[in-house]
């Protein structure tokens, strides 16, 4: 945890910005895998963590915007829990570390909420993504589970985004720890992968390194020869020489801050010449995006520059024809780059995606529905304190090639005969994490190998 003053001042700012009523912040409970006592790895809700620092299940905080009072609701462990899980800090001592003076058992929460409702006070809550918490909202406030998200408080969402989007110096220290562990994971994979291994050999090592730092993964590992599938979590393939391997994984620190990096490596010691050509176009797109990062620049324009670089490079190889600007407007780049360029990162790897990308990433502006652009999670103007990822890629998705060819989509800009020949190529991406500073940007964490020479130098260790 940070010192208690951090959490006190975050809550004070939140109450002031929301201005009226009660703020109900729900912590997460344990999630059972196959029976109640056999749970998944526990993950606290990130906004609850941000405003309280308390990483423990079954807690609720109520912040009163008028009286200024904060209360932590939760139940101390019984002797049965202690026998099963050992002695644990009391709710009061957890509250004290967060600077919260009052605690109440969970059974008292209903009375507090009923009293607020009966006097017409607003009860603000955030969009709820866990089903058990939707049921709790139904029980406490009478809002049907299917309608909980649409009843979330826009004022509260905006106030939370308005704080969490700007990372403080102490948060940057944590994020850099996560990124440094993530770099160690990627370098280890580059030094380990060999033909004949299974993808799961690499995935297992990534988990080991993240957990060895007393942390976790920030999202499930992507370690695959099928990099064209953006979030491929299958790890059962045996890898072969001349294939490309896409690794996208990151660590989460003990305090919950994320890192997120991607690398593309040859399964053999070296890339083939055609792999080098496409790798360098993806890298040029990555560098073009980085060059533009500074306050005041809209991330949507950074995305377009990155997509333009891919179209130009692919035109040079014969995949693209016609006018590049027209191809861009018509979304032809999405054949190779059907996803966004990057996202906010912090306590969540896709920071605050639960609160709605339109608020966290687009400053309230509705997102485009065009294929490709609609997946851009971040489009707003960049500001100092934002932490973002840059992760353009080039992918050959056989189903997309077939769909567009059959439906004559962007045929004036794409060479489908050539695309057909690359249907088994896979995908390539490179990803790094940046802080937007008052005069530009700063790479977070250690430099990860990212050029062909740097990646092949690491691959040499695997073949010694
Ligand atoms: N790099 C993984 C993701 O953005 O989901």
């Amino acid at each position: 945890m940070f010192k208690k003053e951090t959490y006190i001042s975050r809550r004070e700012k939140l109450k002031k910005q929301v201005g009226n009523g009660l703020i109900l912040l729900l912590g997460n409970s344990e999630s059972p895998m196959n029976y109640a006592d056999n749970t998944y790895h526990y993950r606290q809700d990130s906004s609850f963590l941000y405003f309280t620092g308390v990483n423990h299940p079954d807690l609720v905080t109520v912040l009163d915007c008028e009286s200024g009072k904060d209360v932590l609701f939760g139940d101390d462990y019984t002797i049965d829990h202690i026998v099963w899980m050992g002695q644990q800090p009391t709710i009061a001592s957890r509250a004290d570390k967060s600077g919260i003076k009052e605690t109440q058992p969970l059974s008292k929460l209903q009375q507090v909420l009923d009293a607020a409702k009966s006097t017409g006070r607003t009860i603000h809550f955030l969009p709820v993504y866990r089903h058990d918490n939707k049921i709790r909202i139904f029980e406490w406030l009478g809002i049907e589970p299917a309608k909980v998200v649409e009843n979330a408080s826009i004022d509260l969402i905006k106030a939370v985004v308005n704080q969490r989007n700007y990372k403080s110096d102490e948060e940057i220290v944590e994020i850099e720890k996560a990124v440094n562990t993530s770099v160690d994971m990627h370098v280890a994979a580059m030094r380990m992968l060999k033909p004949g291994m299974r993808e799961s050999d690499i995935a297992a090592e990534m988990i080991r390194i993240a957990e060895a730092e007393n942390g976790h993964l920030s999202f499930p590992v992507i370690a695959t020869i099928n990099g064209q599938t953006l979030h491929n979590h299958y790890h059962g393939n045996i890898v072969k020489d001349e294939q490309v391997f896409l690794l996208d994984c990151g660590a989460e620190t003990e305090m919950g801050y994320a890192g997120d990096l991607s690398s593309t490596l040859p399964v053999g010691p070296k890339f083939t010449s055609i792999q080098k050509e496409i790798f360098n176009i993806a890298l040029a797109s990555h560098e073009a995006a980085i060059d533009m990062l500074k306050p005041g620049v809209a991330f949507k324009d950074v995305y377009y520059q990155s997509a333009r670089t891919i179209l130009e490079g692919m035109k040079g190889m014969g995949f693209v024809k016609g006018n590049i600007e027209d191809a861009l407007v018509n979304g032809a780049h999405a054949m190779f780059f059907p996803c966004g360029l990057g996202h906010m990162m912090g306590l969540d790897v896709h920071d605050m995606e639960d609160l709605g990308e339109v608020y966290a990433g687009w400053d309230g502006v509705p997102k485009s529905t065009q294929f490709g652009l609609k997946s851009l999670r971040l489009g707003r103007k960049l500001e100092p304190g934002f932490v973002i990822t840059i992760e353009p890629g080039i992918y050959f998705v056989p189903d997309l090639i077939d769909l567009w060819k059959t439906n004559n989509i962007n045929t004036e800009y794409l060479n489908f005969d050539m695309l057909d020949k690359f249907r088994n190529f896979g995908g390539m991406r490179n990803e790094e994490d940046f802080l937007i500073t008052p005069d530009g940007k700063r790479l977070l964490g250690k430099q990860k190998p990212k050029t062909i020479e740097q990646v092949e130098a690491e691959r040499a260790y695997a073949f010694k």
Side-chain angles (χ1 to χ4, degrees), residues 219 231 248 260 343 350 391 431:
F219 59 99
H231 258 239
D248 184 347
D260 182 6
H343 48 82
H350 292 178
E391 50 178 317
E431 179 178 13

Side-chain angles (χ1 to χ4, degrees), residues 11-75:
R11 291 192 298 268
E12 289 309 313
K13 208 166 154 189
L14 187 69
K15 285 179 281 190
K16 205 162 159 206
Q17 185 159 358
V18 172
N20 65 71
L22 294 185
I23 298 171
L24 178 65
L25 290 176
L26 275 75
N28 281 338
S29 300
E30 295 278 12
S31 283
M33 285 192 284
N34 48 350
Y35 53 90
D37 283 340
N38 201 23
T39 58
Y40 290 105
H41 148 63
Y42 176 70
R43 181 56 160 82
Q44 181 58 284
D45 174 77
S46 296
S47 289
F48 191 89
L49 209 46
Y50 183 86
F51 289 104
T52 69
V54 184
N55 190 8
H56 186 70
D58 301 321
L59 297 173
V60 176
T61 302
V62 173
L63 315 178
D64 190 320
C65 295
E66 271 103 14
S67 73
K69 193 167 80 165
D70 301 342
V71 183
L72 183 66
F73 290 84
D75 297 328

Side-chain angles (χ1 to χ4, degrees), residues 7 105 110 117 129 191 208 229 330 350 392 407 461:
Y7 303 103
Q110 186 74 58
K117 276 202 292 186
Y129 52 91
R191 293 182 175 194
R208 188 197 68 73
T229 304
N330 283 286
H350 292 178
N407 294 319
Y461 285 90

Side-chain angles (χ1 to χ4, degrees), residues 204-221:
E205 182 63 7
M206 300 303 96
I207 297 167
R208 188 197 68 73
I209 296 172
E211 302 242 343
E213 291 297 325
N214 203 23
H216 293 283
L217 295 171
S218 53
F219 59 99
V221 173

Side-chain angles (χ1 to χ4, degrees), residues 80-130:
D80 293 319
H81 292 118
I82 291 166
V83 167
W84 187 249
M85 291 179 281
Q87 183 55 259
Q88 299 285 326
T90 60
I91 302 297
S93 70
R94 291 185 193 277
D96 182 55
K97 286 207 166 82
S98 179
I100 299 176
K101 295 203 174 67
E102 184 175 335
T103 63
Q104 295 275 359
L106 268 173
S107 57
K108 295 278 187 227
L109 179 61
Q110 186 74 58
Q111 267 170 260
V112 172
L113 298 176
D114 287 347
K117 276 202 292 186
S118 68
T119 52
R121 298 186 73 200
T122 306
I123 300 173
H124 303 269
F125 59 87
L126 292 171
V128 176
Y129 52 91
R130 287 206 179 179

